[in-house]
Amino acid sequence: MQESGADCSRRAFVLGALSAVPIIATARDPRPLFRAGLLSDTHVTDDPKSLVRVRQAMELFCREGVDLICHGGDLADVYSPKGWTGYRAAMDAAFGRRSPEAFYAFGGHDRNRYVRKPGEKNREEPVWREMRQILRARHGLCDICEFRGYKFVIIQEYSDEKQANDLIGQAVRESGEKPVFVLFHEPAFDTVCNSVAWGNLAMRDIMDRYPTVVHLSGHVHGSNRNERQIWQGGFTAVNLGCLQHWCGECGNAMPVRMPDDGVMTMDVFHDAIVFHRFSLTTGEECLPLEPWTVPLPFKQANAPFCSEVRRAHSRAPAWTKDSRVTAMWVEDKGFCGFRVTVPAAHPVDGAYRYTASL
């Protein structure tokens, strides 16, 4: 049964906004040991239009002076030598002859629709050989790399569990109290947002053994505006968002897929790792006074993004006292129904989801 506008005015709307407020960074030497540009899930294709946000990302990374670029996987939507070539061309166009080092996690989409040739045991290895040549990458499909004294463990999405544990364990033993960065496409299970549905349980079991791990992932197509995209427990996990579409809270079940434009930079200091989030649409940093700051060395008891610590320090966004909710009946160009308008909750960027119920 349809309600009139008058009937609707007598109904009560219950509004809510959810967030987890980030920890404010402390003052330190402004010069990091190195700065990395972080992006994921670009899903490029043979169509040059699919590279628009990649070009924007490279221009932003160049502007921000990154020393390294890490891609979290699913660089291409399906097997696409033209797409990889376009990606590398975008990097070269932005940086010229001074292109930074680059590390790539291998995701499942990168080898989709590749047809194995006689004698090939899997799709990942032959596809990576071709990707590696086009992208001019210097690491293997699963590898330990070192950048300015810090270990990066690169693990492809379908890696054997023992191989992943051996590589991470070796890097941790060789690094002492230094963080070890693990670049693996899928988030560990039950860490960042949507990782219960789309996370990797085996990798959670492995990384829980190594407190110095900082896991950089993609896969879930989460927005980097969401404060739940960083997590700390037995280790630290950061999801890099995506440059294709945002799936919201329900993963790929989201009925409306919104374009996303989020990338990050990661500043590594002796005493902290600082993640800055950017919008490619505006070219500006999101919450520039409140980047995600991970103190070093890692101590789980007071890690700022552990659930217990966040609950103790977070404040929920709220509407101002004079805020009003408006509702009206709309019949326009095939749309027929109620339109509800709510004000922005403050802090604006701290609210990642609004709910309304009758």
Side-chain angles (χ1 to χ4, degrees), residues 43-51 76-84:
H43 288 267
V44 301
T45 67
D46 290 358
D47 185 349
K49 293 179 181 178
S50 68
L51 291 157
D77 193 50
V78 297
Y79 172 77
S80 178
K82 287 184 179 179
W84 307 330

Side-chain angles (χ1 to χ4, degrees), residues 143-157:
D143 211 345
I144 299 176
C145 303
E146 186 164 316
F147 189 81
R148 299 194 180 177
Y150 287 81
K151 303 286 187 184
F152 283 76
V153 182
I154 300 164
I155 302 173
Q156 65 108 344
E157 186 171 359

Side-chain angles (χ1 to χ4, degrees), residues 44-342:
V44 301
T45 67
D46 290 358
D47 185 349
K49 293 179 181 178
S50 68
L51 291 157
V52 170
R53 284 195 287 273
V54 170
R55 287 192 287 269
Q56 292 173 332
M58 295 305 164
E59 290 166 2
L60 187 144
F61 290 157
C62 183
R63 184 194 78 190
E64 294 299 312
V66 304
D67 308 294
L68 170 70
I69 296 176
C70 295
H71 194 293
D74 282 359
L75 190 154
D77 193 50
V78 297
Y79 172 77
S80 178
K82 287 184 179 179
W84 307 330
T85 301
Y87 181 97
R88 183 67 218 196
M91 184 186 298
D92 292 341
F95 289 94
R97 296 181 179 180
R98 298 182 179 180
S99 288
E101 181 73 83
F103 298 150
Y104 301 91
F106 188 95
H109 274 264
D110 292 314
R111 51 64 158 161
N112 279 358
R113 298 188 189 173
Y114 175 78
V115 179
R116 285 191 296 175
K117 298 178 177 61
E120 292 178 342
K121 297 180 179 179
N122 57 52
R123 292 182 288 173
E124 293 76 39
E125 291 178 7
V127 170
W128 174 246
R129 281 196 296 269
E130 192 171 356
M131 285 183 70
R132 180 178 182 176
Q133 181 178 7
I134 292 172
L135 297 171
R136 303 203 296 276
R138 296 193 289 180
H139 60 79
L141 191 57
C142 295
D143 211 345
I144 299 176
C145 303
E146 186 164 316
F147 189 81
R148 299 194 180 177
Y150 287 81
K151 303 286 187 184
F152 283 76
V153 182
I154 300 164
I155 302 173
Q156 65 108 344
E157 186 171 359
Y158 302 101
S159 177
D160 174 78
E161 182 178 344
K162 181 180 184 304
Q163 181 185 32
N165 183 58
D166 290 347
L167 289 172
I168 295 172
Q170 177 185 338
V172 168
R173 289 190 298 272
E174 294 174 353
S175 298
E177 286 196 329
K178 283 185 176 180
V180 170
F181 300 97
V182 175
L183 192 60
F184 176 72
H185 181 57
E186 298 178 8
F189 177 79
D190 198 15
T191 53
V192 298
C193 189
N194 281 342
S195 60
V196 171
W198 300 102
N200 188 300
L201 181 58
M203 290 299 290
R204 172 65 187 267
D205 290 341
I206 291 171
M207 289 188 281
D208 268 337
R209 306 167 196 167
Y210 305 111
T212 57
V213 159
V214 178
H215 177 205
L216 307 175
S217 67
H219 189 56
V220 297
H221 287 224
S223 170
N224 69 2
R225 275 76 154 179
N226 187 341
E227 300 299 331
R228 293 167 61 208
Q229 294 302 79
I230 183 169
W231 171 94
Q232 289 182 297
F235 58 98
T236 299
V238 178
N239 190 266
L240 309 184
C242 70
L243 285 186
Q244 215 272 347
H245 59 263
W246 177 52
C247 287
E249 291 293 297
C250 302
N252 288 340
M254 185 75 174
V256 179
R257 298 185 176 191
M258 298 170 285
D260 203 15
D261 68 344
V263 297
M264 302 184 195
T265 61
M266 178 179 73
D267 290 349
V268 178
F269 300 87
H270 287 296
D271 64 342
I273 306 169
V274 182
F275 296 89
H276 299 271
R277 296 168 285 168
F278 292 87
S279 163
L280 295 179
T281 301
T282 65
E284 297 178 356
E285 182 175 356
C286 308
L287 295 177
L289 299 180
E290 299 182 355
W292 292 338
T293 301
V294 175
L296 298 176
F298 175 84
K299 303 293 181 185
Q300 184 175 357
N302 58 4
F305 300 101
C306 282
S307 299
E308 296 79 7
V309 177
R310 297 185 88 157
R311 279 196 293 267
H313 292 89
S314 294
R315 64 192 187 278
W319 282 274
T320 58
K321 292 182 180 179
D322 59 348
S323 295
R324 294 290 183 271
V325 176
T326 59
M328 63 172 56
W329 179 259
V330 179
E331 294 185 44
D332 181 41
K333 296 180 180 179
F335 173 79
C336 186
F338 286 104
R339 178 171 294 158
V340 179
T341 304
V342 301

